[in-house]
């Protein structure tokens, strides 16, 4: 990892840092990420997260994990104020389009006008009629999953595995599903009706990360219903009212658009790494190298 080597405190004032010493320092974070990969492969997720946080605290360690500048939760509209002194009103068209799409899916779900199977069948027909290439659809899938991965990492949630369908799988089924799995969302498999606000906020943004990435990259959204339905079900399960659901989704959309718009180049590099089947540690390395010298 190409971290800048900072000041070293040497035992002898006459000591000189040799190039080999500098190279060794640069390799340390990479070796630590390789160890994180090993722990993830053993399903030791807590150990992997502990190693990641330890690496984050090192002078030349990770600087992007969990450090994204976020939209204040009290802000419900880009028209209301500046965010940390920055005018983000130029993001309003994107936020409005994403929100319109999400609301359409919420309405379909609440009115039970379509089942997930029926929606998928309609979407299949629509995409088959437009006949995009399998390469195009895989490219879209890559950016969708990279959006999930990147927003999670920048919010401090460890991706523990991901899957990108191969071209063979897409030829068999154009709707072959990709995925990114994260550590820390155990509440999805439990009956607990109370979730920490931070965990819910992170989950909301991560779920929307794929949709927002699609819109920023292509100006449209294909993998819409399934992610939105997942978020809607969790919020309903928690007993949220219509107003509470709308507030949570609008803030999560604002926050996700703001972060991913800022890191378009990083998202593209991450998508390339995922297309090549890089490990989680190597994907983290890609993110960290890409954000060097940039606002997170």
């Amino acid at each position: 990892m190409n971290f800048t080597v900072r000041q070293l405190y040497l035992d002898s004032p006459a000591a000189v840092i040799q190039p080999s010493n500098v190279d060794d320092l640069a390799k340390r974070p990479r070796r630590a990420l390789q160890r994180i990969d090993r722990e993830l492969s053993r399903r030791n997720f807590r150990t992997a997260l502990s190693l990641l946080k330890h690496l984050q605290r090192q002078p030349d360690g990770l600087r992007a994990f969990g450090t994204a500048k976020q939209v204040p939760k009290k802000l419900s509209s880009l028209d209301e104020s500046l965010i940390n002194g920055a005018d983000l009103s130029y993001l309003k068209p994107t936020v409005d389009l994403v929100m319109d799409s999400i609301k359409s899916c919420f309405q379909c779900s609440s009115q039970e006008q379509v089942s997930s199977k029926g929606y998928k069948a309609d979407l299949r027909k629509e995409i088959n009629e437009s006949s995009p290439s399998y390469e195009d659809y895989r490219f879209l899938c890559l950016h969708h999953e990279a959006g999930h991965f990147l927003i999670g990492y920048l919010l401090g949630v460890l991706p523990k595995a991901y899957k990108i369908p191969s071209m063979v799988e897409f030829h068999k089924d154009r709707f072959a599903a990709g995925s990114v799995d994260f550590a820390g969302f155990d509440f999805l498999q439990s009956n607990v009706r109370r979730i920490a606000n931070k965990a819910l906020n992170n989950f909301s943004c991560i779920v929307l990360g794929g949709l927002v990435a699609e819109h920023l990259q292509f100006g449209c959204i294909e993998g819409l219903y399934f992610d939105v339905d997942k978020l809607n079900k969790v919020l309903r399960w928690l007993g949220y009212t219509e107003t509470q659901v709308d507030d949570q989704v609008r803030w999560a959309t604002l926050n996700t658009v703001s972060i991913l718009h800022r890191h378009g180049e990083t998202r593209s590099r991450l998508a390339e790494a995922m297309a090549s089947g890089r490990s989680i540690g190597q994907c983290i390395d890609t993110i960290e190298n890409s954000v060097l010298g940039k606002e997170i």
Side-chain angles (χ1 to χ4, degrees), residues 176-197:
S179 63
V180 182
D181 298 325
F182 292 88
F185 291 147
D186 298 336
F187 62 82
L188 294 174
Q189 284 80 42
S190 69
N191 294 319
V192 177
R193 291 301 181 98
R194 292 181 63 86
I195 302 174
N197 287 337

Side-chain angles (χ1 to χ4, degrees), residues 79-188:
D79 293 330
E80 292 181 2
S81 69
L82 300 178
I83 300 174
N84 294 332
D87 181 6
L88 299 183
S89 59
Y90 64 93
L91 295 177
K92 190 175 186 300
T94 300
V95 171
D96 288 345
L97 286 172
V98 174
M99 282 298 301
D100 287 345
S101 297
I102 291 172
K103 287 180 178 179
S104 295
C105 279
F106 277 175
Q107 289 171 1
C108 289
S109 178
S110 62
Q111 296 170 5
E112 297 181 349
Q113 292 178 346
V114 292
S115 66
S116 60
K117 178 184 283 188
Y119 188 90
K120 186 172 181 178
D122 291 341
L123 191 55
R124 280 179 183 276
K125 180 179 179 182
E126 180 182 338
I127 289 183
N128 285 335
E129 287 175 351
S130 61
S131 299
S133 68
Y134 295 105
E135 290 80 4
D136 287 344
Y137 200 77
R138 185 170 189 267
F139 188 63
L140 183 148
C141 179
L142 279 166
H143 279 271
H144 181 100
E145 302 306 334
H148 287 309
F149 191 119
L150 181 59
I151 196 72
Y153 183 79
L154 295 178
L155 291 177
V157 183
L158 173 63
K160 58 184 182 182
Y162 73 88
K163 180 182 184 298
I164 302 296
S166 66
M167 285 304 302
V168 172
E169 291 173 297
F170 273 112
H171 276 279
K172 291 181 179 178
D173 181 3
R174 196 178 305 223
F175 279 80
S179 63
V180 182
D181 298 325
F182 292 88
F185 291 147
D186 298 336
F187 62 82
L188 294 174

Side-chain angles (χ1 to χ4, degrees), residues 257-286:
V257 169
S258 174
I259 294 172
L260 290 185
H261 187 277
R262 207 158 55 240
H263 295 289
E265 180 183 351
T266 301
R267 190 183 68 249
S268 294
R269 291 187 184 182
L270 176 60
E272 292 174 3
M274 295 171 75
S276 301
R278 302 294 186 187
S279 70
I280 294 293
Q282 290 170 327
C283 288
I284 290 174
D285 192 23
T286 297

